[in-house]
Amino acid sequence: MIEFIDVTKTYGEDSAVCDFSLIAPSGKITVLMGLSGSGKTTLLRAVNKLVQPTAGSVLIDGNDIADLDSVVLRRSIGYVMQEVGLLPHKSVLDNVTLIANIAGQTKDEALNNALELLELVGIDDSFHNRFPGQLSGGQQQRVGVARALAIKPNILLMDEPFGSVDPIVREELQDELIRIQRQLSLTIILVTHDRYEAIKLADQLVVLSKGAKIEQAGAPKDLIEKPANKFVQKLLGL
Ligand code: ADP
Ligand code: MG
């Protein structure tokens, strides 16, 4: 599990994240939902040490990540960003195998792993040798997910992963994410500002206001039935 303990991140005078504490249970999807600027990305990046908290700590399975080497840590955590960030001059297959190679898998292992993952995310063989620019937005996101999984992580961090794909493809990708998460029992923290996506995907839904203040956290059903306040009501469209 991932445990945030009193995490604070300040930039100059402003707190992007103020005193944030939460447990993201193993094998579950935790969704962070909030308006733009509420500190969601900062929280995600605190988990793979792309952001260094000003105060507080993040524990993974009880180990303070401050004591872990960043490179080693990032090899165990998949990260999917909104801008997929595939290498434009590498084929789809190479984009996925490269990461596995970096993570220390042998060539054969990396290739077999990549082939399996591309199948898992629904990318047909005929696309393997194309370049990212020749794929639709939804297909690129699928490759992005395969690439994040290429290091065989237990944890997947996803920052508005389906933000730039159209609604129908978005629903397909959400369904597939749930299937993949169950199949690999991944611990996922996913950021979104889309309430439908949040309600659909979350085992634990965390509604944040500015400074990553937790307005409410719990099962989506409980938030819908008993929103803690007007803010939660409004954000969930109730
Ligand atoms: P979200 O992902 O919810 O939109 P962010 O975590 O990106 O929010 O940002 C939270 C706040 O912290 C914003 O006000 C943002 O401007 C500020 N912030 C984020 N990163 C930096 C940075 N590197 N330098 C200065 N301010 C930052
Ligand atoms: Mg963000």
Side-chain angles (χ1 to χ4, degrees):
M1 69 180 188
I2 304 165
E3 192 172 6
F4 297 86
I5 304 173
D6 299 332
V7 173
T8 293
K9 178 67 184 178
T10 52
Y11 293 106
E13 308 263 282
D14 298 328
S15 291
V17 169
C18 188
D19 236 350
F20 179 88
S21 296
L22 181 81
I23 289 178
S26 292
K28 304 276 183 201
I29 303 181
T30 293
V31 173
L32 306 178
M33 184 186 168
L35 301 174
S36 180
S38 51
K40 306 181 298 295
T41 296
T42 305
L43 282 174
L44 268 198
R45 292 163 71 91
V47 177
N48 58 10
K49 286 177 96 168
L50 289 170
V51 160
Q52 184 72 43
T54 313
S57 34
V58 179
L59 274 53
I60 294 180
D61 296 332
N63 301 309
D64 192 332
I65 63 167
D67 303 330
L68 303 176
D69 180 75
S70 321
V71 175
V72 174
L73 180 74
R74 280 177 216 141
R75 272 186 204 153
S76 65
I77 300 178
Y79 185 32
V80 181
M81 292 167 287
Q82 182 170 2
E83 333 67 52
V84 192
L86 297 173
L87 298 171
H89 304 298
K90 294 281 180 191
S91 71
V92 162
L93 188 59
D94 283 348
N95 262 283
V96 182
T97 48
L98 267 174
I99 299 293
N101 279 326
I102 293 169
Q105 295 166 32
T106 65
K107 257 199 163 141
D108 279 355
E109 226 182 322
L111 179 62
N112 289 332
N113 187 19
L115 292 173
E116 251 175 54
L117 286 170
L118 286 167
E119 189 180 341
L120 183 72
V121 299
I123 292 289
D124 193 83
D125 293 4
S126 63
F127 290 97
H128 288 186
N129 293 317
R130 298 200 197 177
F131 294 106
Q134 298 171 299
L135 270 55
S136 70
Q139 288 168 329
Q140 290 186 33
Q141 250 337 328
R142 288 170 197 266
V143 177
V145 171
R147 185 184 55 172
L149 294 173
I151 56 170
K152 304 185 179 174
N154 300 316
I155 295 173
L156 192 56
L157 307 175
M158 309 183 84
D159 199 346
E160 313 216 9
F162 311 135
S164 54
V165 296
D166 66 64
I168 293 172
V169 175
R170 192 171 174 133
E171 282 207 33
E172 272 175 33
L173 289 171
Q174 290 163 353
D175 290 335
E176 287 181 17
L177 178 66
I178 293 172
R179 183 176 56 81
I180 290 168
Q181 186 266 336
R182 302 269 145 83
Q183 191 173 333
L184 305 177
S185 6
L186 296 166
T187 305
I188 296 181
I189 303 182
L190 180 141
V191 162
T192 185
H193 56 246
D194 178 325
R195 59 175 174 259
Y196 299 106
E197 182 161 286
I199 291 165
K200 177 170 174 177
L201 294 178
D203 293 305
Q204 171 175 235
L205 175 53
V206 184
V207 175
L208 302 173
S209 58
K210 201 163 165 33
K213 175 170 185 278
I214 299 181
E215 296 291 341
Q216 195 171 5
K221 182 172 159 291
D222 296 339
L223 271 63
I224 292 166
E225 283 173 4
K226 281 195 181 141
N229 55 41
K230 284 254 155 58
F231 183 89
V232 175
Q233 229 168 8
K234 191 155 177 231
L235 222 65
L236 293 180
L238 304 170

